[in-house]
Amino acid sequence: MAHVPVPVNETVLGYGPGSKERAGIELALDRMAGEDPVELTATIDGVSKPASGDPFDVTMPSDHSHVLGHAANATRADATEAIDAALAAAPGWADLGFEQRATVFLRAADLLAGPWRDTLNASTMLGQGKTVQQAEIDAACELIDFWRFNVAFARRIVEDQPISSPGVWNRADYRPLEGFVYAITPFNFTSIAGNLPTAPALLGNVVIWKPSPTQQLAAHFIMRLLEAAGLPPGVINMLPGDGIEVSDVALVHPDFAGIHFTGSTKTFQHLWQSVGANISRYRTYPRLVGETGGKDFVVAHASADPDVLRTALVRGAFEYSGQKCSAASRAYIARSVWDRMGDELIDAAETLKVGDVRDLSNFTSAVIDQRAFSKHVQALERARDSADAKIIAGGETDDQEGWYVRPTLIISDNPRNDIFITEYFGPILGIHVFDDAEFEVILDEVDRAAPYALTGAVIADDRTVLELASHRLRHAAGNFYLNDKPTGAVVGQQPFGGSRASGTNDKAGSMWNLIRWTSPRSIKETFVPPTDHVYPYMT
């Protein structure tokens, strides 16, 4: 087997004033925002055409009257056509071989690193409300890393072969799953939207891809990029919209072979229940891979550096308005540290610039849509009405032009207040201040308060404390950070995923995820087979 290029993490560009990349992204933003709305089509068997269901518009979160594109919900008929196309493409894609499949995604990575970078970054900024920094690390760097590192990880899998005894040659055949994989992707990460359908495809599978309606603009360009990289028709079929009718068809189809999902815990549990109810219909037991919710924590010991903690909280909780499954959502801070940095944290939250993503001086922007906005308004109202919680920074909302929610700090003496339990998925951080001597007690509270186990961080300068917390919180987070914010996992460095109500912990960006998309076959070949059934002991 040929060697594949050694993957190296893509360099994150800075977009500073006067830089070449800043000029490029500003031109792309002006061009995309000034163009007529894009027709955001379905892609079935390599053909782009409107889905046949009810239409919907994709708008800017920071300017919800600005229509970026027109799309339509996929119907049962669209889903049936897409599945038929995928199954027809499956034999040829599998027979193409690993090296040829890998070439498609390596080429896609290079195209994204070069001529497609501004297009995917700008579409992510306008359509999903990301700042240029957040778009760069997501739509460009992380997706490039996924495609390059996945090839290297997959090669490690397929070249792993069993030992052979004298006269026997044993081999492992890494087959794709029988049937199609159903990839369901979220609004908040363009890189996840690109990785979930392509990771199974790299291993020879065919895919039905259902992106989030609010990520449809960037998803449209991901599909065009993959086509430019040489992806054959029918291998990945994209169906836009809410996905209800697509699931109605896909989850009862006998050739359904797996789900690759990122989204809410409730949705994933519903999908799992549907699979269970239909288990007798399938040709094979489906693979269910999901990364779901989080109520991610930061714990600050008395030895914590106040500046490190403040930075970790502001960036961890409020970058991309907290719309990350890894975002800091609950903080437990030793009283001596809070007394030293609490006012500075409040000032930092109050002075964060929030506005249109086209103003590159803003720290964050609007939340994704009206549904999210209304959810956050209700959470803030509950906090105001709570007898044991107090909003100490932010709390303002404004939906006149965009879906704006100010970065908000809520403090409570009750560690079981709703702000420490419920996932808000927005720029709302709950804070509980504990007595310095109660650190070990608070570790138990961190572990038990919420049903999730995705990310978490401990801030401390005392080495024994870091070791203690790491041990006591071993199952509380699949990605655990020491003296850093609980966000920003890098492909190849921190494979991402959690357990409990946070998912199946199959670690996107690692060989452990890719192994789920292959069905190994063991082959034994005997060179000189026996010709007599009699064993020596029988004589």
Side-chain angles (χ1 to χ4, degrees), residues 276-287:
N278 290 288
I279 197 67
S280 62
R281 294 175 177 263
Y282 308 134
R283 296 179 65 192
T284 185
Y285 290 106
R287 307 286 175 89

Side-chain angles (χ1 to χ4, degrees), residues 495-530:
F496 190 79
S499 57
R500 297 180 181 171
S502 292
T504 57
N505 201 21
D506 286 292
K507 296 298 183 189
S510 77
M511 62 188 294
W512 309 118
N513 178 282
L514 295 174
I515 196 68
R516 298 299 306 276
W517 308 119
T518 184
S519 180
R521 176 175 65 145
S522 294
I523 301 172
K524 176 188 177 183
E525 180 175 356
T526 303
F527 295 135
V528 183

Side-chain angles (χ1 to χ4, degrees), residues 56-329:
F56 65 92
D57 289 337
V58 174
T59 62
M60 287 181 59
S62 56
D63 182 1
H64 47 59
S65 65
H66 189 134
V67 178
L68 298 166
H70 302 302
N73 290 291
T75 63
R76 290 177 176 85
D78 295 325
T80 299
E81 184 181 357
I83 292 170
D84 289 345
L87 295 175
W93 180 241
D95 290 344
L96 193 59
F98 170 73
E99 292 175 11
Q100 298 305 315
R101 296 194 302 267
T103 301
V104 173
F105 301 112
L106 292 174
R107 187 180 180 197
D110 276 15
L111 288 170
L112 179 51
W116 285 77
R117 194 184 202 110
D118 287 342
T119 296
L120 216 55
N121 277 347
S123 62
T124 299
M125 293 173 70
L126 295 173
Q128 292 146 256
K130 290 203 166 186
T131 63
V132 67
Q133 173 74 14
Q134 294 298 301
E136 168 70 8
I137 62 177
D138 166 28
C141 296
E142 187 167 21
L143 185 49
I144 292 166
D145 286 351
F146 272 133
W147 285 338
R148 289 176 175 164
F149 277 85
N150 279 351
V151 168
F153 291 138
R155 184 180 185 277
R156 287 172 58 186
I157 292 172
V158 300
E159 70 180 359
D160 184 74
Q161 294 292 320
I163 62 171
S164 297
S165 56
V168 171
W169 186 16
N170 296 315
R171 305 189 290 280
D173 172 20
Y174 292 93
R175 306 168 297 178
L177 308 182
E178 284 194 281
F180 65 90
V181 174
Y182 185 21
I184 305 171
T185 61
F187 79 84
N188 58 336
F189 276 91
T190 295
S191 57
I192 296 174
N195 180 54
L196 266 56
T198 58
L202 175 62
L203 273 298
N205 297 280
V206 291
V207 181
I208 304 301
W209 173 26
K210 211 298 293 178
S212 168
T214 44
Q215 196 264 331
Q216 192 64 49
L217 182 67
H220 174 83
F221 289 110
I222 291 173
M223 199 69 228
R224 305 288 82 78
L225 169 56
L226 291 170
E227 290 168 347
L231 184 73
V235 173
I236 295 175
N237 301 274
M238 183 178 69
L239 298 177
D242 60 27
I244 294 175
E245 294 197 28
V246 178
S247 293
D248 286 345
V249 174
L251 297 182
V252 299
H253 198 285
D255 290 302
F256 168 71
I259 291 176
H260 205 190
F261 175 88
T262 295
S264 75
T265 299
K266 182 179 180 181
T267 299
F268 190 55
Q269 290 176 348
H270 173 73
L271 292 168
W272 197 301
Q273 289 170 346
S274 297
V275 171
N278 290 288
I279 197 67
S280 62
R281 294 175 177 263
Y282 308 134
R283 296 179 65 192
T284 185
Y285 290 106
R287 307 286 175 89
L288 304 181
V289 175
E291 189 265 292
T292 57
K295 189 67 178 175
D296 308 298
F297 60 84
V298 176
V299 184
H301 181 256
S303 66
D305 183 319
D307 293 333
V308 170
L309 175 60
R310 184 187 66 254
T311 302
L313 291 176
V314 171
R315 289 185 171 181
F318 301 136
E319 285 180 334
Y320 193 39
S321 295
Q323 296 175 117
K324 303 180 182 182
C325 48
S326 59
S329 182

